[in-house]
Amino acid sequence: MLPKLGIGFVLAALSLLLLLFSGCAPGGTQSPGEKEGASQAERLLIVDSAGRAVEVPRPVKRIVTINSDVLEVICALGGADLVVGVSDTAKFPPLVKEKPRVGESFTPSVEKIVELQPDVVFGYGRFLKPELARQVEQAGIPLVSLDCYKIETMERDIRTLGLILGRQEEADAYLELWEKYLGLVREMTKDLKPEARPRVYLEGYTDYKTVSAGSGGHELLEIAGGINIAAAEPVPYPQVSPEWVVAQDPDVIIKAVSSRVASGYGASPEEMAKEREAIISRPGWHNIKAVKEGRVYLISSEIYTAPRGVVGFSYFAKWLHPELFADLDPQKVHREILEKFHGLELQGTYVYPEA
């Protein structure tokens, strides 16, 4: 099963039901994309990932999203035509390449956003800058902060988007696929004894920046049946030293690659291969067990902690327990998502090496 919903989401869902069935909602400032004279009954009150109560017009007809993960979910639910603006780094699905750009995800141009007259703007929950929210909302546009990259909040975020877009059935279908594979992996690893769980060094997009409790990567490792060697570190994304990694001597090394390394949809494997060679050639790393045994893997940001993270943790499970998950085919999982929700064939390089 997907993680249980928190009390905040339950309250938000109750608020939504009250608004929908009572036919009235609290008044609010009209957004530029909202029709003149729109009734108060056409607004939804939601609680976003930042814990903010936000009123959103219904139906939503124009969307700007500076959160690429939210963008991917919107498109998966069939709402691509509603998107009128995206961040500079948005690249998936391919159809978003022609969408107007509004700047970086965390420092977008409010002026460009306002010019596009959206009904709503979507940003990242954890990284919401209060000043950005204030500027957007002063322009009369609601800003909703969601994550869509953490397993623990994925169900809540996707259901919230389904409600806002009026695409609850599509959201249910997407989550059904998530639950199928997440449940499978959890069931297979839940009873593994500590000695049967490989010790893993998981490196994020920045060299020697790893993950600890409270991060999406740490959660992935636990679900996939691994032991995070940095689990005891006091912050979610600790910076460690090269010597520390060598001393820990992990059984498996996994590196998440950012956009600076070509990966993901349509990418060839050459850059991922070069990056892996650079990693295993780090000073002293030839002595690490994972390097000696060839258990060093790279994973694209597109399937790491993301809406297609179900593919990512399928690879994690396969890498950590190849015999236990002999029948699990991550490519099949990925193909199912791409074909069913994006109308795309599987192509590109998402991990290296594949097996």
Side-chain angles (χ1 to χ4, degrees), residues 106-297:
F106 308 128
T107 55
S109 167
V110 175
E111 182 179 356
K112 289 182 179 179
I113 291 174
V114 173
E115 286 176 356
L116 293 170
Q117 296 189 312
D119 297 314
V120 62
V121 175
F122 290 102
Y124 281 98
R126 182 175 180 271
F127 305 102
L128 174 68
K129 295 184 183 298
E131 179 62 17
L132 171 63
R134 184 186 65 79
Q135 291 177 349
V136 171
E137 290 172 346
Q138 279 187 343
I141 307 168
L143 188 150
V144 177
S145 297
L146 298 175
D147 293 321
C148 287
Y149 66 90
K150 294 180 181 178
I151 291 178
E152 65 178 323
T153 58
M154 191 66 72
E155 179 177 11
R156 180 192 69 192
D157 291 344
I158 291 177
R159 290 200 187 284
T160 298
L161 279 172
L163 285 165
I164 292 173
L165 301 177
R167 297 177 183 270
Q168 292 95 320
E169 290 185 7
E170 291 86 345
D172 287 343
Y174 198 92
L175 288 168
E176 183 179 352
L177 187 147
W178 255 86
E179 185 168 345
K180 177 172 70 172
Y181 292 108
L182 181 58
L184 169 67
V185 172
R186 276 187 162 146
E187 183 64 27
M188 297 285 281
T189 62
K190 68 178 184 179
D191 295 324
L192 287 174
K193 292 180 169 49
E195 57 268 24
R197 296 173 180 265
R199 299 174 66 255
V200 185
Y201 170 62
L202 174 55
E203 186 172 278
Y205 305 130
T206 302
D207 289 352
Y208 298 107
K209 196 158 193 175
T210 184
V211 297
S212 185
S215 68
H218 175 78
E219 189 178 16
L220 282 176
L221 287 180
E222 287 196 323
I223 291 170
I227 294 175
N228 180 8
I229 63 171
E233 295 297 312
V235 294
Y237 301 97
Q239 188 79 35
V240 297
S241 68
E243 296 78 16
W244 182 87
V245 180
V246 173
Q248 290 292 319
D249 194 25
D251 302 309
V252 179
I253 293 172
I254 301 174
K255 167 71 174 179
V257 298
S258 65
S259 56
R260 71 175 180 82
V261 178
S263 68
Y265 191 82
S268 59
E270 286 79 13
E271 286 200 34
M272 291 271 270
K274 288 180 182 178
E275 182 73 3
R276 183 178 186 272
E277 184 61 32
I279 290 170
I280 64 177
S281 299
R282 290 174 178 176
W285 278 43
H286 63 281
N287 293 316
I288 296 176
K289 183 179 179 182
V291 176
K292 290 178 181 178
E293 297 182 357
R295 301 184 74 183
V296 178
Y297 306 98

